[in-house]
Amino acid sequence: MNGRIRRPRALRRAARSAALAAVAALVLAGCSTGSDAVASGGEFQFVAPGNQTTITYEPSAARRALGTFSGESLTEPGKQIGIQDFPGQVVLINVWGSWCGPCRAEMADLQLLHDQFGARGVAVLGLDIRDDRQAAADFMRGDKATYPSIFDPAGRALFSLNGYPRNVVPSTIVLDRKHRVAIVYLTRIRLAEVAGALQRLAAESAA
C-alpha cells in the first residue's frame, strides 16, 4: 500500500461530469489559422502552422470538408461506420490505440463528452490504429466506452485527411455540423477546452 486513496471509477466520472458542467459556458480560445492551413480547393488539406498542437479553423469560411471518413466497426466486424452516419451533427474523431498510454487515459473524458453532448447533436467516433482488434475491443468494454470506433490498423481512413500526421497518437479532429474540419488537437485532449469547443460548434447551424 502506498497510502494513496483511489476513488472508484464511478466517483471519478461523477467528478469529471461536475467539472464539465461547470465549464459548459467556456468558449474555446485556440490558435486561429489563416488560409494557409487549408487547400484552396473544396476538400481539407492539413498544413501544420509551426509547432502548434491546437489548430482552430476560423472563421467558418476557412473550414474545408472531408470527402469521406469511414471504416469497419471495431466491435461489429463487417459493419461499415463513418461520418456519414451522423448527418448534421458535430463529430469528434479521436485517433487512438490500446497500446497508447495517453489514449487510454483520455477515454473516460471522451465517454463523458459522448454522454453530455449527445443530446445536443454531437457524436464521438474513435479511430483505432496499429492495434489488435481483440485487445482494443476488450479495452473499450473494460473502460465502459459506448461510443463507436473504427478498426483501422493500417490507418487508411486518415488518407482523407490530406497531409495529416498519422504518427501523432492520440490526436483529435472536430468536425462542424457540415462535416468541415473546425479544430485539430495534436495532443491529449483537455476536457474543459474541448467541452467549450463542442458547445460553440453545437450552437452553429447545419444549414
Side-chain angles (χ1 to χ4, degrees), residues 54-76:
T54 299
I55 305 145
T56 303
Y57 299 91
E58 294 293 348
S60 60
R63 302 173 191 165
R64 296 293 182 267
L66 296 188
T68 58
F69 192 92
S70 63
E72 186 178 21
S73 168
L74 171 63
T75 55
E76 299 179 73

mmCIF file of all heavy atoms in Angstrom, residues 54-76:
data_model
loop_
_atom_site.group_PDB
_atom_site.id
_atom_site.type_symbol
_atom_site.label_atom_id
_atom_site.label_comp_id
_atom_site.label_asym_id
_atom_site.label_seq_id
_atom_site.Cartn_x
_atom_site.Cartn_y
_atom_site.Cartn_z
ATOM 1 N N THR A 54 -2.763 22.840 -31.071
ATOM 2 C CA THR A 54 -4.200 23.099 -31.199
ATOM 3 C C THR A 54 -4.396 24.050 -32.358
ATOM 4 O O THR A 54 -3.868 25.163 -32.345
ATOM 5 C CB THR A 54 -4.785 23.711 -29.911
ATOM 6 O OG1 THR A 54 -4.597 22.807 -28.825
ATOM 7 C CG2 THR A 54 -6.282 23.982 -30.079
ATOM 8 N N ILE A 55 -5.126 23.610 -33.362
ATOM 9 C CA ILE A 55 -5.293 24.391 -34.585
ATOM 10 C C ILE A 55 -6.781 24.601 -34.803
ATOM 11 O O ILE A 55 -7.535 23.630 -34.937
ATOM 12 C CB ILE A 55 -4.664 23.682 -35.795
ATOM 13 C CG1 ILE A 55 -3.190 23.364 -35.503
ATOM 14 C CG2 ILE A 55 -4.794 24.525 -37.051
ATOM 15 C CD1 ILE A 55 -2.720 22.086 -36.099
ATOM 16 N N THR A 56 -7.203 25.847 -34.817
ATOM 17 C CA THR A 56 -8.612 26.186 -34.975
ATOM 18 C C THR A 56 -8.820 26.872 -36.318
ATOM 19 O O THR A 56 -8.093 27.800 -36.656
ATOM 20 C CB THR A 56 -9.073 27.122 -33.836
ATOM 21 O OG1 THR A 56 -8.820 26.489 -32.580
ATOM 22 C CG2 THR A 56 -10.549 27.427 -33.953
ATOM 23 N N TYR A 57 -9.817 26.412 -37.064
ATOM 24 C CA TYR A 57 -10.105 26.970 -38.382
ATOM 25 C C TYR A 57 -11.261 27.961 -38.264
ATOM 26 O O TYR A 57 -12.428 27.586 -38.213
ATOM 27 C CB TYR A 57 -10.420 25.841 -39.368
ATOM 28 C CG TYR A 57 -9.250 24.902 -39.532
ATOM 29 C CD1 TYR A 57 -9.124 23.774 -38.731
ATOM 30 C CD2 TYR A 57 -8.233 25.176 -40.448
ATOM 31 C CE1 TYR A 57 -8.033 22.927 -38.857
ATOM 32 C CE2 TYR A 57 -7.145 24.339 -40.574
ATOM 33 C CZ TYR A 57 -7.045 23.218 -39.780
ATOM 34 O OH TYR A 57 -5.959 22.384 -39.895
ATOM 35 N N GLU A 58 -10.905 29.225 -38.182
ATOM 36 C CA GLU A 58 -11.869 30.316 -38.074
ATOM 37 C C GLU A 58 -11.439 31.440 -39.005
ATOM 38 O O GLU A 58 -10.245 31.667 -39.185
ATOM 39 C CB GLU A 58 -11.938 30.842 -36.638
ATOM 40 C CG GLU A 58 -12.504 29.840 -35.622
ATOM 41 C CD GLU A 58 -13.975 29.531 -35.840
ATOM 42 O OE1 GLU A 58 -14.628 30.259 -36.622
ATOM 43 O OE2 GLU A 58 -14.475 28.565 -35.246
ATOM 44 N N PRO A 59 -12.407 32.156 -39.568
ATOM 45 C CA PRO A 59 -13.849 31.972 -39.463
ATOM 46 C C PRO A 59 -14.296 30.676 -40.132
ATOM 47 O O PRO A 59 -13.494 29.989 -40.771
ATOM 48 C CB PRO A 59 -14.412 33.186 -40.184
ATOM 49 C CG PRO A 59 -13.364 33.510 -41.207
ATOM 50 C CD PRO A 59 -12.045 33.225 -40.533
ATOM 51 N N SER A 60 -15.570 30.374 -40.019
ATOM 52 C CA SER A 60 -16.063 29.105 -40.540
ATOM 53 C C SER A 60 -15.844 28.967 -42.045
ATOM 54 O O SER A 60 -15.720 27.854 -42.567
ATOM 55 C CB SER A 60 -17.546 28.932 -40.206
ATOM 56 O OG SER A 60 -18.320 29.974 -40.780
ATOM 57 N N ALA A 61 -15.741 30.098 -42.745
ATOM 58 C CA ALA A 61 -15.489 30.054 -44.191
ATOM 59 C C ALA A 61 -14.116 29.467 -44.511
ATOM 60 O O ALA A 61 -13.864 29.039 -45.635
ATOM 61 C CB ALA A 61 -15.614 31.452 -44.781
ATOM 62 N N ALA A 62 -13.204 29.435 -43.510
ATOM 63 C CA ALA A 62 -11.873 28.874 -43.719
ATOM 64 C C ALA A 62 -11.862 27.361 -43.600
ATOM 65 O O ALA A 62 -10.852 26.724 -43.882
ATOM 66 C CB ALA A 62 -10.892 29.476 -42.710
ATOM 67 N N ARG A 63 -12.964 26.774 -43.169
ATOM 68 C CA ARG A 63 -13.032 25.330 -42.978
ATOM 69 C C ARG A 63 -13.263 24.603 -44.303
ATOM 70 O O ARG A 63 -13.916 25.132 -45.194
ATOM 71 C CB ARG A 63 -14.155 24.971 -41.997
ATOM 72 C CG ARG A 63 -14.006 25.617 -40.634
ATOM 73 C CD ARG A 63 -15.245 25.356 -39.786
ATOM 74 N NE ARG A 63 -15.249 26.171 -38.576
ATOM 75 C CZ ARG A 63 -16.325 26.369 -37.814
ATOM 76 N NH1 ARG A 63 -17.482 25.802 -38.164
ATOM 77 N NH2 ARG A 63 -16.246 27.119 -36.748
ATOM 78 N N ARG A 64 -12.721 23.384 -44.394
ATOM 79 C CA ARG A 64 -12.926 22.545 -45.560
ATOM 80 C C ARG A 64 -13.446 21.178 -45.122
ATOM 81 O O ARG A 64 -13.105 20.676 -44.056
ATOM 82 C CB ARG A 64 -11.616 22.387 -46.347
ATOM 83 C CG ARG A 64 -11.087 23.689 -46.936
ATOM 84 C CD ARG A 64 -12.005 24.230 -48.030
ATOM 85 N NE ARG A 64 -11.484 25.455 -48.624
ATOM 86 C CZ ARG A 64 -11.801 26.679 -48.205
ATOM 87 N NH1 ARG A 64 -12.630 26.843 -47.185
ATOM 88 N NH2 ARG A 64 -11.298 27.739 -48.800
ATOM 89 N N ALA A 65 -14.273 20.585 -45.954
ATOM 90 C CA ALA A 65 -14.941 19.327 -45.613
ATOM 91 C C ALA A 65 -14.066 18.118 -45.908
ATOM 92 O O ALA A 65 -13.169 18.165 -46.747
ATOM 93 C CB ALA A 65 -16.248 19.218 -46.385
ATOM 94 N N LEU A 66 -14.370 17.031 -45.192
ATOM 95 C CA LEU A 66 -13.787 15.739 -45.525
ATOM 96 C C LEU A 66 -14.613 15.115 -46.635
ATOM 97 O O LEU A 66 -15.843 15.174 -46.613
ATOM 98 C CB LEU A 66 -13.801 14.809 -44.311
ATOM 99 C CG LEU A 66 -12.974 15.217 -43.095
ATOM 100 C CD1 LEU A 66 -12.965 14.069 -42.088
ATOM 101 C CD2 LEU A 66 -11.550 15.578 -43.484
ATOM 102 N N GLY A 67 -13.951 14.491 -47.585
ATOM 103 C CA GLY A 67 -14.693 13.802 -48.631
ATOM 104 C C GLY A 67 -15.416 12.588 -48.066
ATOM 105 O O GLY A 67 -16.636 12.474 -48.117
ATOM 106 N N THR A 68 -14.655 11.675 -47.472
ATOM 107 C CA THR A 68 -15.206 10.502 -46.815
ATOM 108 C C THR A 68 -14.364 10.207 -45.583
ATOM 109 O O THR A 68 -13.191 10.608 -45.508
ATOM 110 C CB THR A 68 -15.191 9.259 -47.724
ATOM 111 O OG1 THR A 68 -13.836 9.007 -48.128
ATOM 112 C CG2 THR A 68 -16.068 9.461 -48.945
ATOM 113 N N PHE A 69 -14.956 9.524 -44.634
ATOM 114 C CA PHE A 69 -14.199 9.072 -43.463
ATOM 115 C C PHE A 69 -14.979 7.907 -42.881
ATOM 116 O O PHE A 69 -15.989 8.096 -42.201
ATOM 117 C CB PHE A 69 -14.036 10.184 -42.427
ATOM 118 C CG PHE A 69 -13.037 9.851 -41.355
ATOM 119 C CD1 PHE A 69 -11.711 10.218 -41.488
ATOM 120 C CD2 PHE A 69 -13.426 9.144 -40.225
ATOM 121 C CE1 PHE A 69 -10.776 9.888 -40.510
ATOM 122 C CE2 PHE A 69 -12.510 8.813 -39.243
ATOM 123 C CZ PHE A 69 -11.180 9.186 -39.379
ATOM 124 N N SER A 70 -14.526 6.691 -43.166
ATOM 125 C CA SER A 70 -15.278 5.522 -42.725
ATOM 126 C C SER A 70 -14.353 4.315 -42.656
ATOM 127 O O SER A 70 -13.209 4.349 -43.112
ATOM 128 C CB SER A 70 -16.445 5.237 -43.675
ATOM 129 O OG SER A 70 -15.968 4.921 -44.969
ATOM 130 N N GLY A 71 -14.874 3.243 -42.081
ATOM 131 C CA GLY A 71 -14.127 2.007 -41.978
ATOM 132 C C GLY A 71 -14.944 0.968 -41.244
ATOM 133 O O GLY A 71 -16.101 1.195 -40.892
ATOM 134 N N GLU A 72 -14.329 -0.167 -40.976
ATOM 135 C CA GLU A 72 -15.031 -1.263 -40.323
ATOM 136 C C GLU A 72 -15.148 -1.022 -38.828
ATOM 137 O O GLU A 72 -14.205 -0.576 -38.167
ATOM 138 C CB GLU A 72 -14.284 -2.577 -40.567
ATOM 139 C CG GLU A 72 -15.022 -3.800 -40.047
ATOM 140 C CD GLU A 72 -14.286 -5.099 -40.356
ATOM 141 O OE1 GLU A 72 -13.056 -5.033 -40.596
ATOM 142 O OE2 GLU A 72 -14.929 -6.153 -40.369
ATOM 143 N N SER A 73 -16.311 -1.327 -38.289
ATOM 144 C CA SER A 73 -16.546 -1.161 -36.861
ATOM 145 C C SER A 73 -15.612 -2.061 -36.048
ATOM 146 O O SER A 73 -15.399 -3.229 -36.388
ATOM 147 C CB SER A 73 -18.001 -1.501 -36.527
ATOM 148 O OG SER A 73 -18.186 -1.618 -35.129
ATOM 149 N N LEU A 74 -15.065 -1.506 -34.964
ATOM 150 C CA LEU A 74 -14.205 -2.285 -34.080
ATOM 151 C C LEU A 74 -14.979 -3.417 -33.412
ATOM 152 O O LEU A 74 -14.503 -4.553 -33.341
ATOM 153 C CB LEU A 74 -13.597 -1.375 -33.005
ATOM 154 C CG LEU A 74 -12.841 -2.060 -31.863
ATOM 155 C CD1 LEU A 74 -11.620 -2.797 -32.390
ATOM 156 C CD2 LEU A 74 -12.440 -1.042 -30.802
ATOM 157 N N THR A 75 -16.167 -3.120 -32.927
ATOM 158 C CA THR A 75 -16.927 -4.090 -32.131
ATOM 159 C C THR A 75 -17.946 -4.893 -32.939
ATOM 160 O O THR A 75 -18.505 -5.859 -32.432
ATOM 161 C CB THR A 75 -17.650 -3.368 -30.981
ATOM 162 O OG1 THR A 75 -18.464 -2.323 -31.518
ATOM 163 C CG2 THR A 75 -16.639 -2.773 -30.005
ATOM 164 N N GLU A 76 -18.192 -4.473 -34.195
ATOM 165 C CA GLU A 76 -19.125 -5.203 -35.058
ATOM 166 C C GLU A 76 -18.444 -5.490 -36.395
ATOM 167 O O GLU A 76 -18.673 -4.789 -37.380
ATOM 168 C CB GLU A 76 -20.405 -4.399 -35.267
ATOM 169 C CG GLU A 76 -21.171 -4.095 -33.991
ATOM 170 C CD GLU A 76 -22.424 -3.277 -34.262
ATOM 171 O OE1 GLU A 76 -23.398 -3.835 -34.807
ATOM 172 O OE2 GLU A 76 -22.417 -2.069 -33.952
#
